[in-house]
Amino acid sequence: MSKALRVGITGGIGSGKSAVTERLQSRGIEVVDADIVAREVVEAGSSALEKIAQHFGKEVISADGNLDRAALRRIVFSDPDQRLWLERLTHPLIGESIAQQLATAASSYAVLSSPLLLESSQRDFVDHIVVVDVPESVQISRTKARDNNSEELVRAIMAAQMSRDSRLAAADTVIDNSGALAELDQQVTALHEKLLRLSAAR
Ligand SMILES: CC(C)(COP(=O)(O)OP(=O)(O)OC[C@H]1O[C@@H](n2cnc3c(N)ncnc32)[C@H](O)[C@@H]1O)[C@@H](O)C(=O)NCCC(=O)NCCS
Ligand SMILES: Nc1ncnc2c1ncn2[C@@H]1O[C@H](COP(=O)(O)OP(=O)(O)OP(=O)(O)O)[C@@H](O)[C@H]1O
């Protein structure tokens, strides 16, 4: 038997990747979330966090020994060189963990959800690319409502990500999440059926 179909789900900040993956998880599909893995590789006591503290200073470590994510976010999204430094440290560790988790996934297909799927070598981990798409104005309003971030910070994060057009050009399947959640539900149902078909045809 060939290995399970691996599906990458991507989209810019606030596009609705989690809204899609929650709906797939409730159907029993295993989801690896790159944002969660990115937190695990810098947990308190890890050697990656030690290196971050050495490089950025104690101001990015909270009193409880955890990474002060808000402090590091302010630094890396205002200075591309610092962001690249952080990515060079964490992306290989994130990639290793993602590969392991995908290899052991046991559902009919497995999902990797990542904001940087197409910007990184994570793309090589998947057989089918789903892009969750909304206009930039919707990304900004939903992210601001969720995270209490300034519009300036959301725009800086978006500037570090691929453009909407390039992302759409790389998609095998596009989910349009500009409408209501009920419309998303319908699209996710159709997506799940399509992915089951593709997986069965392997
Ligand atoms: C800078 C950090 C500490 C900020 O943490 P915070 O809790 O505020 O944000 P979180 O990790 O939940 O990310 C929120 C969103 O920001 C965007 N984002 C995060 N890192 C990046 C990046 N390097 N480039 C572009 N966008 C990014 C994504 O859309 C992500 O969904 C954190 O994002 C981080 O460690 N980033 C580097 C690792 C990385 O590239 N992660 C992305 C998944 S591989
Ligand atoms: N169709 C929709 N209508 C209204 N709100 C939505 C819709 N889809 C998602 N949301 C909300 O918008 C916000 C962003 O969605 P979500 O967290 O799923 O995006 P994401 O792509 O996973 O974001 P990130 O890259 O930042 O992790 C959330 O608060 C979510 O509840």
Side-chain angles (χ1 to χ4, degrees), residues 169-185:
D172 296 307
T173 303
V174 177
I175 298 287
D176 172 7
N177 188 29
S178 57
L181 285 171
E183 291 167 47
L184 183 66
D185 281 335

Side-chain angles (χ1 to χ4, degrees), residues 108-128:
S108 10
Y109 61 88
V111 167
L112 167 60
S113 175
S114 174
L116 301 181
L117 182 79
L118 302 170
E119 288 90 333
S120 70
S121 51
Q122 292 169 18
R123 185 189 194 127
D124 300 335
F125 291 143
V126 298
D127 311 301
H128 189 92

Side-chain angles (χ1 to χ4, degrees), residues 61-73:
I61 308 296
S62 305
D64 62 4
N66 283 299
L67 178 61
D68 182 341
R69 306 183 70 85
L72 188 55
R73 186 173 64 209

